Amino acid sequence: MQRVTSTAHRPLLSSPSVTHIERLPARAGTRVSWPAWASPAVVAACRARGISEPWAHQAAAASLAFDGEHVVLATGTGSGKSLGYQLPVLTRLLDDPRATALYIAPAKALAADQLRAVAGFGLPDVRPATYDGDTAREERDWIRQHSRFVLTNPDMLHHGMLPGHERWATFLRRLSYVVIDECHAYRGVFGSHVAHVLRRLRRLAARYGGKPTFILASATSGDPADTASRLVGVPVTAITEDTSPRGATTFALWEPPLLEVDEGLPQVRRSALRETADLLTDAVVSGTRTLAFIRSRRGAEVVAAVTRRQLDEAVPGLGDRVAAYRAGYLKEDRREIERQLLTGELLGLASTNALELGVDLVGLDAVLICGYPGTRASLWQQAGRAGRAGEPATAVLIARDDPLDTYLVHHPSALFGRPVEATVLDPGNPYVLGPQLCCAASEAPLSTADLALFGSGAQAAVDGLSEAGVLRRRPTGWYWTHKGRPDVDLRGTGGAPVQVVESSTGRLLGTVDAGSSHVMLHTGAVYLHQGVTFVVDDLDLEDAVALVHQEEPDWSTHARDVTDLSVVSVRSYVDAGPVGLFLGEVDVTNQVVSYQRRRLGSGEVIDTRPLDLPPRELRTVAVWFTVSPRAMEAAGVEPPDFPGALHAAEHAAIGLLPLMATCDRWDIGGLSTANHPDTEAPTVFVYDGHPGGAGFAERAYETAAAWLGATRDAIAACGCETGCPSCVQSPKCGNGNNPLHKPGAVAVLDAVLAALSVAALPVAADPSPDLSPQAAAALP
């Protein structure tokens, strides 16, 4: 694979594995004069860095922000959004030596990248500094007292800065700008939590006299002005016309070839990981600077290791120019890899989506995307990492052996020429609002005037929290009643990360989040770290430490788990004869029970070894419907097709629920079965993927007829024959989208809707219902 302008690029595009080539034409840029208000020192620094004049969209956003208007700059990857906020922020900091600014990014790597960029302006009075979990304790006091441009993330703002706001009083009083970078990353329940963290920030800044202007930067999204307004809580103006130049992009869809197998055995395709490693190898050999996005951390390590080995076999030492990048690396390792990629020391990098966000990766020629990332927004964000500064680029989507990926590479219209998804978040969600009001009250008593800041549901929420004894009402407001701070996890990671330590040396290799530790760090697991293979000796869950030793086994490990769902209680139900509709609490239990050792190369299973790990239980809220077997057969669904029909209906129902509840499909889980032990009938469950529930299942129950009707219509109206991502396939299916029976799903939903049409359905509630007793009980 070569640069687009090279004739050596043609063999890639003529490969029989390429199912479609989309050519996106080059686009000229539009420059404008520097705004008259811009600081001469900032303009001079930009010119010294090769920026003669700003792009029109940069100047438009910067001028709105300079005039005090909240603005979101939503343009393509590599369009120079950073200058849109750097120009007004740095100008203000230079014009007013007392002013301060806050930059918030969803990832540490992005904040570190912006620190390099701001420091590169050479403006000593600004004193930029990152303030995050990696910041040494001795540096934090200096930053609070002296830094005028603090770069952080929502987690540190939530856990560190806002609870300790008295120590940040001077900074907050002088706060002029708040920059929220990559704001499209704040979606679902996480985004709803961050929305209230920003409201808490606005509240405390006003308490000390500060009234900052918000500047948001976003990848292209369905409705950036509305999304940004809901995130910040104030009206936001959107700048969406991208006036930066863009080189021609060649986007190829790639389907790995079928493998030769013995007669009588089912055919399988070559793995997407192996194909990606081969393409990355070819790219590095040809001098093409390439970033490969891999869906899993283990996959990123495997692709990097295979690529290095193949390169060293071809040209000894060339493998050193390829690395892996993922969450869990130590800060020093991450920064070094980023530096090597920026300087060109690395020609190839296999990364998880940790590099999907706006780290400035100048000079990349190509991007490989191993498996559809789940949304068109992510796909274009990843593809946009190549071809910066107007240079031509290549992007390749390599399909996994999965029905969803297979469909996409054979139906390019599902990807190209369609708008990206809107970012979904709901600050009014009472399961988010209640805990966040507790956080606000613990920082400073909540007054009646404060409640308007948190939305129309805040009054009902504090009343419910007061009844539950969590808050206490006094003449001066609502007070937090406990000694410690509320324990609210913004991201739902499930606890402290597990440290990976080399047994013989005590060296800390990295960390793995608690939610992934059972799969990645069980005893006997093969753990890859920057191309070096380790085997886990012991996983100590109590101390959150995994001890490993270096080894080169000729096998890999694959954890096997089981998931079960049991009904705890029923809050409400509708008896519709052969159909039942229910709302209640459920326990979703997942347990890693064993692991397979598989021979490298052949994939032959050597053995299966048991594991003794504790189950993980999620108590949450679910909506579910049952259909009697007789009604299924009467609808034309035969018993062998029960699982596929119910599974397809489950997927489509999850995909359509955001129409009724302000949620993201990644916030929702589902399970379907031809005979559930608690219901003794064919059943489809849809549940909130958050402890205690998040309100989505309740909304689904309240709008069941409309929700399931829209689901049925979406499946029936889709022009595909057997199911596709537009109807019954899911990007997050743990069973590889198998089995699915599209006609059966329509028949099942017809039967459900017919029965519910004559039953007494619940009346749809207001989108922001009062805090229920169950929701209050789930609060900290």
Side-chain angles (χ1 to χ4, degrees):
M1 181 168 55
Q2 297 278 357
R3 298 172 188 267
V4 173
T5 53
S6 170
T7 57
H9 180 71
R10 292 173 186 164
L12 166 72
L13 302 184
S14 61
S15 167
S17 292
V18 174
T19 61
H20 177 79
I21 297 173
E22 190 81 8
R23 300 185 188 276
L24 307 176
R27 178 186 68 215
T30 303
R31 291 194 183 275
V32 296
S33 300
W34 291 101
W37 51 261
S39 165
V42 177
V43 172
C46 289
R47 286 176 171 156
R49 301 167 77 180
I51 305 173
S52 58
E53 291 178 314
W55 305 118
H57 65 274
Q58 294 172 324
S63 293
L64 287 174
F66 185 78
D67 291 339
E69 187 168 342
H70 308 296
V71 62
V72 56
L73 183 53
T75 51
T77 307
S79 59
K81 292 186 283 290
S82 297
L83 186 61
Y85 55 76
Q86 290 167 348
L87 190 59
V89 170
L90 295 177
T91 294
R92 179 59 185 272
L93 295 182
L94 293 182
D95 289 349
D96 180 359
R98 296 168 60 84
T100 62
L102 183 67
Y103 170 95
I104 304 169
K108 294 178 184 177
L110 190 52
D113 182 69
Q114 282 300 305
L115 177 63
R116 286 191 293 265
V118 173
F121 279 87
L123 306 172
D125 291 339
V126 173
R127 300 189 293 275
T130 55
Y131 189 83
D132 57 32
D134 292 335
T135 305
R137 293 288 176 183
E138 56 271 18
E139 296 177 23
R140 297 186 181 189
D141 287 340
W142 184 93
I143 292 171
R144 278 193 296 268
Q145 295 172 17
H146 301 291
S147 177
R148 300 178 58 218
F149 195 176
V150 173
L151 301 97
T152 189
N153 53 58
D155 310 84
M156 197 65 176
L157 185 61
H158 166 64
H159 288 293
M161 297 179 69
L162 298 182
H165 58 88
E166 295 92 348
R167 292 175 293 172
W168 289 89
T170 302
F171 183 89
L172 292 171
R173 181 166 58 251
R174 300 172 178 176
L175 187 60
S176 300
Y177 286 106
V178 176
V179 176
I180 305 173
D181 207 354
E182 304 290 358
C183 66
H184 60 279
Y186 302 119
R187 67 186 189 194
V189 170
F190 172 52
S192 302
H193 273 296
V194 173
H196 285 295
V197 172
L198 296 175
R199 285 158 174 75
R200 287 159 50 201
L201 171 64
R202 288 172 50 208
R203 172 177 177 251
L204 292 175
R207 180 184 178 91
Y208 293 108
K211 190 177 181 181
T213 297
F214 285 84
I215 312 175
L216 301 95
S218 171
T220 53
S221 67
D223 191 350
D226 179 68
T227 299
S229 298
R230 279 187 285 118
L231 182 64
V232 179
V234 293
V236 178
T237 301
I239 300 294
T240 58
E241 183 181 359
D242 192 337
T243 59
S244 65
R246 183 75 192 178
T249 300
T250 301
F251 204 133
L253 304 183
W254 183 285
E255 185 175 41
L258 290 167
L259 296 174
E260 293 185 6
V261 296
D262 294 335
E263 188 175 350
L265 295 177
Q267 284 194 306
V268 294
R269 294 194 177 275
R270 198 163 186 263
S271 81
L273 290 177
R274 176 64 72 169
E275 289 286 278
T276 303
D278 286 354
L279 290 171
L280 186 57
T281 299
D282 293 342
V284 173
V285 168
S286 67
T288 304
R289 295 177 63 183
T290 304
L291 174 61
F293 281 106
I294 319 296
R295 288 168 60 98
S296 70
R297 283 173 282 191
R298 181 190 183 93
E301 293 280 4
V302 168
V303 168
V306 171
T307 302
R308 280 194 291 260
R309 184 172 66 249
Q310 293 179 159
L311 288 170
D312 284 334
E313 290 172 356
V315 181
L318 189 57
D320 293 340
R321 302 196 69 182
V322 173
Y325 186 100
R326 60 173 175 79
Y329 283 177
L330 300 181
K331 171 186 175 181
E332 297 77 14
D333 295 335
R334 294 196 306 269
R335 301 295 176 263
E336 178 61 18
I337 293 170
E338 293 162 16
R339 184 196 67 77
Q340 291 178 358
L341 187 65
L342 291 170
T343 60
E345 295 173 52
L346 289 175
L347 277 175
L349 190 66
S351 172
T352 60
N353 63 359
L355 284 180
E356 178 180 315
L357 301 178
V359 175
D360 193 10
L361 305 176
V362 177
L364 292 178
D365 304 309
V367 166
L368 306 174
I369 304 170
C370 182
Y372 180 58
T375 64
R376 290 185 296 278
S378 288
L379 182 75
W380 289 109
Q381 186 77 357
Q382 293 180 5
R385 285 284 158 242
R388 297 214 169 198
E391 292 296 316
T394 302
V396 183
L397 171 62
I398 301 110
R400 296 176 303 147
D401 192 10
D402 170 88
L404 188 152
D405 285 31
T406 301
Y407 176 88
L408 290 174
V409 296
H410 288 285
H411 296 80
S413 61
L415 294 175
F416 302 110
R418 298 187 62 183
V420 299
E421 303 86 353
T423 303
V424 178
L425 68 148
D426 180 18
N429 181 340
Y431 293 88
V432 173
L433 176 59
Q436 287 292 334
L437 286 170
C438 292
C439 292
S442 73
E443 291 156 1
L446 281 167
S447 67
T448 302
D450 289 335
L451 297 184
L453 191 67
F454 294 93
S456 59
Q459 181 66 61
V462 295
D463 290 343
L465 292 166
S466 298
E467 290 178 14
V470 178
L471 297 181
R472 180 176 294 120
R473 177 72 185 271
R474 292 179 179 173
T476 52
W478 287 268
Y479 286 73
W480 173 243
T481 60
H482 299 278
K483 291 183 179 179
R485 295 202 301 263
D487 182 15
V488 178
D489 182 3
L490 299 186
R491 299 179 189 259
T493 54
V498 177
Q499 295 184 318
V500 184
V501 176
E502 189 172 23
S503 302
S504 58
T505 63
R507 178 170 62 108
L508 176 63
L509 299 176
T511 61
V512 171
D513 65 271
S516 302
S517 61
H518 288 205
V519 171
M520 295 183 63
L521 296 175
H522 60 76
T523 301
V526 172
Y527 175 77
L528 295 174
H529 182 79
Q530 295 185 350
V532 181
T533 305
F534 298 85
V535 174
V536 178
D537 298 315
D538 180 58
L539 172 60
D540 187 333
L541 293 173
E542 186 174 343
D543 291 335
V545 173
L547 299 177
V548 303
H549 70 272
Q550 189 172 338
E551 186 180 336
E552 292 287 343
D554 63 350
W555 37 264
S556 59
T557 54
H558 302 264
R560 301 172 66 85
D561 64 344
V562 294
T563 299
D564 189 27
L565 183 150
S566 60
V567 176
V568 177
S569 63
V570 175
R571 290 188 192 172
S572 180
Y573 72 94
V574 175
D575 184 351
V579 169
L581 176 70
F582 301 84
L583 176 74
E585 283 79 26
V586 297
D587 279 338
V588 182
T589 304
N590 177 269
Q591 184 175 19
V592 176
V593 295
S594 64
Y595 69 96
Q596 287 183 341
R597 294 193 306 163
R598 299 180 189 172
R599 191 81 62 192
L600 293 178
S602 69
E604 172 193 359
V605 176
I606 301 172
D607 57 20
T608 299
R609 300 189 171 190
L611 289 169
D612 183 22
L613 288 168
R616 286 183 158 158
E617 188 172 280
L618 169 69
R619 177 159 293 187
T620 185
V621 180
V623 58
W624 65 95
F625 64 79
T626 61
V627 188
S628 73
R630 183 174 298 179
M632 296 274 287
E633 294 187 61
V637 183
E638 296 299 322
D641 295 327
F642 283 9
L646 295 166
H647 193 198
E650 171 212 329
H651 280 184
I654 290 173
L656 269 293
L657 184 52
L659 291 177
M660 309 297 161
T662 312
C663 61
D664 188 289
R665 74 182 301 157
W666 271 260
D667 291 322
I668 312 163
L671 182 142
S672 56
T673 175
N675 185 27
H676 192 274
D678 291 338
T679 65
E680 299 182 342
T683 309
V684 171
F685 291 90
V686 175
Y687 60 84
D688 297 347
H690 298 269
F696 307 141
E698 292 174 337
R699 185 65 175 161
Y701 180 75
E702 293 158 357
T703 61
W707 167 45
L708 296 178
T711 301
R712 183 264 176 214
D713 292 345
I715 302 173
C718 188
C720 69
E721 293 183 6
T722 59
C724 71
S726 296
C727 56
V728 300
Q729 291 184 351
S730 169
K732 52 177 284 191
C733 179
N735 294 323
N737 285 294
N738 184 51
L740 293 174
H741 193 277
K742 177 183 174 180
V746 175
V748 166
L749 290 168
D750 279 337
V752 171
L753 290 165
L756 293 180
S757 67
V758 296
L761 288 179
V763 178
D766 183 83
S768 300
D770 292 351
L771 194 72
S772 67
Q774 292 86 355
L779 295 171

